[in-house]
Amino acid sequence: MCGIIGYIGNRNAAPILLEGLKRLEYRGYDSSGIGLIKRKRLAVYKKEGKIAALERTLPKDISGKPGIAHTRWATHGQVNDINAHPHASFDNRVAVVHNGIIDNYAPIKHKLKQDGISFRSETDSEVIANLIARHYQDDPEVAVQNALRQLEGTYGLIVLFTDNPDLLIGARNGSPLIVGVGEKEMLLASDVSAMLAHTKQVFYIEDRETVVLQKDSYKTVNTENSVVDKTIEKIEWELDEIEKGDYHHFMLKEICEQPETIQRAYGGGGRLLPDFGTSKLGGLNLGKQDFFEIDSVITMGMGTAYYAAMIGSYLLEHMARLPCKAERASELRYRNAIVKKNMLFFAVSQSGETLDTLSAMREIQHRGGRVLGICNVVGSTIARESDGGVYIHAGPEIAVASTKAFTSQVTVFLLLAIMIGRMRDIPASLGKRYINELTTIPGKIAFILERKAEIEQLAEKYSKARSFLFLGRGVSYPVAMEGALKLKEVSYIHAEGFSAGDIKHGPIALVNEETPSLFIAVEGETFDKTLGNMEEIKARNGRIITITNSDNERIRELSDDIFVVPETNELLSPLLTVVPLQLFAYFIASILGKDVDQPRNLAKTVTVE
Ligand code: F6R
């Protein structure tokens, strides 16, 4: 989704902004642009396509300060140079980069046109630049405040004033905005990775706040124009974490990081209490008594985070004996959802900025419900606005397709389920077994990763298939869904995940020699039933690839290909079975020459509905 960055300070803004744009690339975009002030003149460069295309259009000696820049993910208006940001006002006194959607842009545009102002682009964002310019007499801050009063919708924006190069103004409503405080310089961006090379000292702008930046000062005000105090926080991420290192793609790097990221999710042991067979999680803001009073749980998220939420629900029901349900946040938000005193909600989000999840969380809170966040990005909006929560500490996830965040989210749900379960239903001996088993998972994943060449061979063999079915039961059903999502996202091959038990109720009609079925068959409650479903596919000449932890003759007979993951408890098995599926999607996409890290049409952080 769109990314924005602004710089004010003594240095030439151009290389800083270009580097920032490259750090924002991972979010997904279709055009980019830079606006700079040089000798009190506004210079804007923008280009459809990759940042490399923008770079080719820039003068070799490009310089100027302050400056703003943008990666656009089109919503209003086609993907072309004109619709790219920054957008300059009719009189070139104001330039704006904008994330979000202005809902009432059409009537404002109509009115401005009636006043004789002409527009160059089809975007909603150009309206902001013209509206601010219309209000701009001599005070930039007042002009921005007056314009914002007229806008409805979501925005994270940065405004540059051609005749006032000593300041940059930012404002936020619904789209993230973070200020980076440097040595006699300030940065403003939608994402900390865009500023990490320059400063780790940041503070967060909240909805309906406006920030005025000068190179050595900042001032944040709310809608009443009262100054808001900000606490500067330190970003924990290191620069090498947002770089590819020796890997060709971030996706492979992040898949391979999972032994460490899972360990970080259980706190390297710090969140585990092996002697009591349980876990301890700070930050939940719930007392022991509260856990006895909870009578049901709803977990919510979108995409991969939703599949982690499904597993979370499964684990909480099984271990903590609580009625649980996973919901897609986008559906929950608009239903007349039941919210009761003793219900507990979990909002799962890697970025902590997904608007569907954030909006559902706010709706639940508005109705008096209590929502805990399970987030990766520290200081993200969901993390800040939730009533408590747990960070997964997976480190920056740059590839658009989520991998390591998924296994870390599942790990955190395991900790929660063990903790609540131990209070309600699980004896210490069983809790200890789960905890011990969890600590063996990183080693087992490392073993799977050592055998990634086997998955690459499978990918070679099946890369010509045009459609795949992914099938699993019980806790492996969300894994099947996640495997299918990964494959379609990065390879553009059609893939559907189903509960294996459901296939004979319809999806089996899709089975033929050309459509392979990928089964996740894990020993436990539904293992035999899953084998029965494999028989059904086999009887219809479907090819079967099986990911299993059970290497026996029957499963080998039924499977055309098999990948055996190490033995583990069924409840922990998603942490292992998902890894070959991630690798399968990665290798197929690579073999087909797809843009693995930035698949078409996708954005890393979806900040629009
Ligand atoms: C899939 C993927 C998306 C995200 C979803 C939620 O690979 O990355 O499905 O999982 O958009 O994003 P977060 O977790 O940031 O809320």
Side-chain angles (χ1 to χ4, degrees):
M1 209 109 291
C2 309
I4 54 178
I5 174 165
Y7 171 85
I8 185 160
N10 293 328
R11 293 192 278 164
N12 175 9
I16 297 169
L17 296 175
L18 266 175
E19 192 241 8
L21 284 182
K22 287 178 191 161
R23 304 272 185 207
L24 292 172
E25 270 195 305
Y26 79 99
R27 296 169 67 104
Y29 70 107
D30 44 50
S31 51
S32 62
I34 284 193
L36 297 160
I37 297 180
K38 189 164 186 186
R39 290 188 210 102
K40 291 218 169 184
R41 288 173 76 94
L42 176 68
V44 172
Y45 308 91
K46 35 197 205 172
K47 197 73 198 155
E48 174 185 340
K50 293 286 177 191
I51 290 165
L54 172 72
E55 278 184 294
R56 284 195 290 274
T57 68
L58 298 177
K60 289 233 161 8
D61 58 346
I62 182 170
S63 68
K65 58 182 190 248
I68 55 178
H70 190 262
T71 49
R72 174 171 189 249
W73 191 83
T75 56
H76 291 59
Q78 297 201 336
V79 179
N80 59 32
D81 295 355
I82 296 172
N83 288 336
H85 299 213
H87 288 289
S89 59
F90 62 96
D91 54 5
N92 269 351
R93 285 179 83 201
V94 174
V96 166
V97 286
H98 166 226
N99 279 359
I101 293 175
I102 301 302
D103 297 330
N104 64 341
Y105 85 99
I108 298 177
K109 187 169 177 174
H110 182 70
K111 173 81 184 50
L112 289 169
K113 275 181 159 176
Q114 277 180 339
D115 294 348
I117 292 175
S118 57
F119 282 76
R120 302 167 182 129
S121 79
E122 305 157 289
T123 66
D124 52 335
S125 310
E126 191 182 0
V127 161
I128 309 174
N130 280 329
L131 198 60
I132 295 173
R134 195 84 175 120
H135 286 287
Y136 188 24
Q137 308 278 313
D138 47 14
D139 188 336
E141 216 181 311
V142 171
V144 172
Q145 297 273 16
N146 285 337
L148 293 184
R149 261 178 224 119
Q150 286 175 256
L151 296 180
E152 284 164 22
T154 53
Y155 50 80
L157 51 91
I158 313 178
V159 194
L160 188 67
F161 294 87
T162 312
D163 54 9
N164 206 333
D166 295 328
L167 57 77
L168 274 186
I169 297 187
R172 164 185 171 144
N173 189 34
S175 295
L177 196 60
I178 304 148
V179 176
V181 181
E183 254 327 291
K184 291 217 179 307
E185 60 184 18
M186 300 281 171
L187 293 109
L188 191 56
S190 49
D191 190 318
V192 290
S193 56
M195 54 176 79
L196 201 54
H198 307 286
T199 182
K200 287 187 164 194
Q201 309 293 321
V202 301
F203 65 87
Y204 299 90
I205 304 300
E206 302 291 341
D207 278 352
R208 285 173 286 282
E209 286 181 352
T210 304
V211 64
V212 182
L213 295 181
Q214 296 192 306
K215 67 179 179 194
D216 45 14
S217 72
Y218 54 83
K219 183 181 82 171
T220 311
V221 294
N222 58 21
T223 38
E224 280 86 52
N225 217 15
S226 313
V227 173
V228 183
D229 277 341
K230 291 289 177 184
T231 313
I232 294 186
E233 294 171 38
K234 187 165 179 271
I235 307 169
E236 299 298 339
W237 291 352
E238 298 299 332
L239 202 54
D240 63 355
E241 289 184 278
I242 57 171
E243 279 164 2
K244 267 191 263 193
D246 293 335
Y247 289 91
H248 279 307
H249 295 106
F250 280 109
M251 184 175 174
L252 186 59
K253 178 179 182 239
E254 288 159 10
I255 292 172
C256 292
E257 279 171 7
Q258 289 175 111
E260 297 89 63
T261 50
I262 288 178
Q263 222 169 336
R264 281 212 298 271
Y266 63 71
R271 288 175 167 177
L272 304 180
L273 296 176
D275 290 347
F276 291 94
T278 187
S279 69
K280 71 167 190 306
L281 295 162
L284 295 176
N285 296 335
L286 289 172
K288 282 222 158 100
Q289 198 56 38
D290 296 318
F291 285 107
F292 291 117
E293 283 164 11
I294 298 165
D295 60 16
S296 56
V297 170
I298 306 275
T299 61
M300 57 176 161
M302 296 303 295
T304 292
Y306 167 64
Y307 300 135
M310 280 175 80
I311 295 175
S313 238
Y314 190 95
L315 297 175
L316 283 160
E317 182 182 85
H318 191 98
M319 294 183 179
R321 308 303 299 138
L322 279 164
C324 293
K325 204 167 160 215
E327 297 255 15
R328 284 191 170 82
S330 56
E331 294 296 322
L332 183 65
R333 181 191 177 185
Y334 290 107
R335 275 218 330 271
N336 190 9
I338 293 170
V339 180
K340 285 193 185 156
K341 188 164 160 258
N342 292 335
M343 288 174 82
L344 186 60
F345 292 80
F346 286 97
V348 188
S349 174
Q350 184 284 128
S351 61
E353 302 294 350
T354 299
L355 194 60
D356 291 306
T357 312
L358 175 61
S359 306
M361 178 177 93
R362 286 176 175 162
E363 171 64 18
I364 300 299
Q365 287 174 321
H366 183 70
R367 289 168 167 233
R370 189 179 339 213
V371 188
L372 301 184
I374 297 184
C375 296
N376 189 31
V377 178
V378 175
S380 57
T381 311
I382 293 178
R384 279 178 295 128
E385 290 190 17
S386 55
D387 301 291
V390 190
Y391 281 120
I392 62 170
H393 296 307
E397 194 181 63
I398 306 292
V400 164
S402 186
T403 53
K404 62 177 180 173
F406 175 79
T407 45
S408 294
Q409 287 157 352
V410 171
T411 303
V412 162
F413 269 123
L414 263 163
L415 299 183
L416 279 161
I418 293 170
M419 184 187 82
I420 307 176
R422 281 283 289 116
M423 290 174 185
R424 292 170 160 255
D425 197 53
I426 299 178
S429 55
L430 184 55
K432 283 180 190 172
R433 281 215 293 281
Y434 289 138
I435 297 279
N436 286 342
E437 188 55 36
L438 181 56
T439 59
T440 68
I441 293 290
K444 289 175 179 173
I445 295 184
F447 177 66
I448 294 173
L449 293 170
E450 277 166 25
R451 292 163 49 214
K452 59 179 178 305
E454 290 174 44
I455 303 283
E456 193 171 3
Q457 275 169 12
L458 280 181
E460 291 273 1
K461 180 169 170 187
Y462 289 93
S463 63
K464 302 229 163 35
R466 295 326 311 144
S467 187
F468 281 84
L469 304 181
F470 283 69
L471 301 154
R473 300 180 80 122
V475 78
S476 298
Y477 165 41
V479 178
M481 303 287 282
E482 171 59 6
L485 178 66
K486 278 303 79 93
L487 185 63
K488 67 183 118 179
E489 275 183 297
V490 295
S491 72
Y492 317 147
I493 294 174
H494 174 252
E496 293 301 330
F498 293 105
S499 150
D502 201 33
I503 46 164
K504 55 184 158 305
H505 301 283
I508 201 160
L510 299 170
V511 172
N512 60 21
E513 284 140 34
E514 272 102 59
T515 306
S517 294
L518 214 147
F519 271 89
I520 300 104
V522 171
E523 282 204 47
E525 288 298 319
T526 54
F527 185 58
D528 287 340
K529 298 284 169 211
T530 308
L531 296 190
N533 299 133
M534 290 168 71
E535 302 269 12
E536 290 158 6
I537 302 280
K538 194 86 199 151
R540 284 152 187 92
N541 296 326
R543 286 184 294 167
I544 295 179
I545 311 163
T546 309
I547 310 295
T548 183
N549 58 1
S550 174
D551 192 0
N552 65 46
E553 223 169 280
R554 186 162 170 228
I555 213 162
R556 284 200 174 261
E557 266 169 30
L558 286 169
S559 312
D560 292 84
D561 287 285
I562 178 167
F563 184 88
V564 183
V565 299
E567 198 40 62
T568 192
N569 182 292
E570 186 184 10
L571 296 174
L572 282 77
S573 66
L575 295 173
L576 300 186
T577 52
V578 77
V579 179
L581 302 185
Q582 296 168 339
L583 288 167
F584 188 67
Y586 170 76
F587 284 123
I588 289 204
S590 307
I591 291 162
L592 297 179
K594 303 296 181 212
D595 189 349
V596 179
D597 284 338
Q598 289 161 36
R600 71 177 179 211
N601 303 340
L602 295 182
K604 181 68 183 161
T605 309
V606 185
T607 50
V608 293
E609 272 189 273

